[in-house]
Amino acid sequence: MTVGVFGLGRFGSFWSGLLSERFSVLAYDRDPDIKAPQGVRRANLDELGQCPIVFLCVTIRALPEVLQVLGPYLAKDTIVADTCSVKVLPGNWMLEHLPPHTPILATHPMFGPESAKDGLEGLAIMMDPLRLDEKRTQFWEDVFAGFGLSVVRMTCDQHDREAAYSQALTHFVGRSLYRIGLPETPIATRWYKKLHGVARQCVRDSHLLFEDMQTLNPYAAEMRRKVLQGFADTLQDLGDPLVVQLSDKC
């Protein structure tokens, strides 16, 4: 079986390399200078569109344009699967821009090259068969489980509600901590070291991805408001005058 991957950025290169352990993989990127990982062959859009499935590994904001570029090349039964970090908007875009006969699978691998460097066992991937029959949905669930992943089926809306905290909150706090510059200390507690790790890990992802997961997830703004309100409430418990400034922002 041949699998297609559209996009050979940091995640796309990692994902295509992973899939090449089990499938023949064709990859396309609009930048001709990007080299495909070992075991992956670069292809044109005609070849990519004939694959049984094409995974879209592009920035969230680029997805509408990519769908319009790829759509005319798709074979009738080619599955299109996105890998975006938010799901409601990408899901709607796929339903809007792809031909009505195109099968659609929404996925979100809850990991990247850094978090998967020690193996995939126990890491999660979310799936929502937006327009895909149960037989093919089960096939890909089995494939992902075969990599050692924990497969979670949920709707795109449920994903974004939960990811606003499980992912967007982590990156919001991590980047904020990195910005203030957590000092190193020989008396660091285990939990302080974990905060250091979160701050360092979050800034390894691009700022573009951070912006998109914060602004394109419909539930992230409310999460940030609650975080700021939580800080304000804690400052109020301490009688800190800074609480007035934070309350105004909330």
Side-chain angles (χ1 to χ4, degrees), residues 170-182 199 202-203 210:
T170 303
H171 283 259
F172 180 71
V173 172
R175 283 193 175 254
S176 299
L177 292 176
Y178 187 85
R179 189 181 294 272
I180 67 175
L182 297 179
C202 287
V203 295
F210 173 69

Side-chain angles (χ1 to χ4, degrees), residues 1-244:
M1 181 176 178
T2 302
V3 171
V5 173
F6 189 117
L8 283 173
R10 186 164 172 260
F11 181 77
S13 294
F14 161 76
W15 189 243
S16 59
L18 175 65
L19 292 171
S20 71
E21 296 177 10
R22 302 205 171 195
F23 304 100
S24 296
V25 178
L26 300 181
Y28 171 85
D29 194 280
R30 287 178 285 187
D31 185 345
D33 295 326
I34 295 181
K35 293 182 178 180
Q38 186 174 359
V40 176
R41 182 171 72 83
R42 286 206 55 148
N44 57 38
L45 288 172
D46 282 311
E47 294 175 287
L48 198 74
Q50 298 305 308
C51 295
I53 186 169
V54 177
F55 287 94
L56 306 180
C57 300
V58 298
T59 60
I60 305 169
R61 64 183 67 185
L63 190 61
E65 179 188 355
V66 167
L67 293 169
Q68 293 181 64
V69 168
L70 179 62
Y73 296 92
L74 293 171
K76 183 176 180 180
D77 291 326
T78 296
I79 303 168
V80 174
D82 81 305
T83 59
C84 293
S85 298
V86 300
K87 300 269 45 96
V88 171
L89 272 176
N92 290 339
W93 288 334
M94 288 191 288
L95 291 169
E96 175 185 354
H97 294 297
L98 292 174
H101 56 75
T102 298
I104 298 172
L105 176 63
T107 79
H108 181 196
M110 307 297 296
F111 52 87
E114 286 294 327
S115 53
K117 63 184 178 182
D118 295 323
L120 297 175
E121 195 68 36
L123 297 178
I125 182 168
M126 166 270 180
M127 293 175 55
D128 183 2
L130 292 177
R131 198 159 66 198
L132 189 63
D133 59 85
E134 179 59 27
K135 182 179 179 180
R136 285 185 286 183
T137 300
Q138 188 61 55
F139 173 84
W140 283 103
E141 182 171 335
D142 293 342
V143 168
F144 297 144
F147 281 113
L149 297 172
S150 173
V151 184
V152 181
R153 287 204 205 186
M154 61 170 57
T155 66
C156 290
D157 185 77
Q158 184 183 358
H159 168 277
D160 283 2
R161 286 179 183 273
E162 298 188 14
Y165 288 88
S166 66
Q167 186 178 46
L169 171 62
T170 303
H171 283 259
F172 180 71
V173 172
R175 283 193 175 254
S176 299
L177 292 176
Y178 187 85
R179 189 181 294 272
I180 67 175
L182 297 179
E184 298 284 354
T185 171
I187 59 170
T189 64
R190 177 184 300 176
W191 300 114
Y192 184 73
K193 292 178 181 177
K194 287 184 180 294
L195 286 177
H196 251 283
V198 169
R200 289 194 300 268
Q201 178 66 35
C202 287
V203 295
R204 287 174 179 163
D205 290 323
S206 70
H207 198 273
L208 190 66
L209 174 60
F210 173 69
E211 287 183 3
D212 284 353
M213 74 171 63
Q214 297 294 330
T215 60
L216 300 181
N217 183 326
Y219 301 103
E222 177 64 12
M223 173 276 294
R224 295 192 300 273
R225 188 197 68 77
K226 288 182 177 179
V227 169
L228 290 178
Q229 186 61 57
F231 280 121
D233 292 344
T234 301
L235 288 171
Q236 188 170 30
D237 290 343
L238 296 172
D240 193 315
L242 184 60
V243 68
V244 177

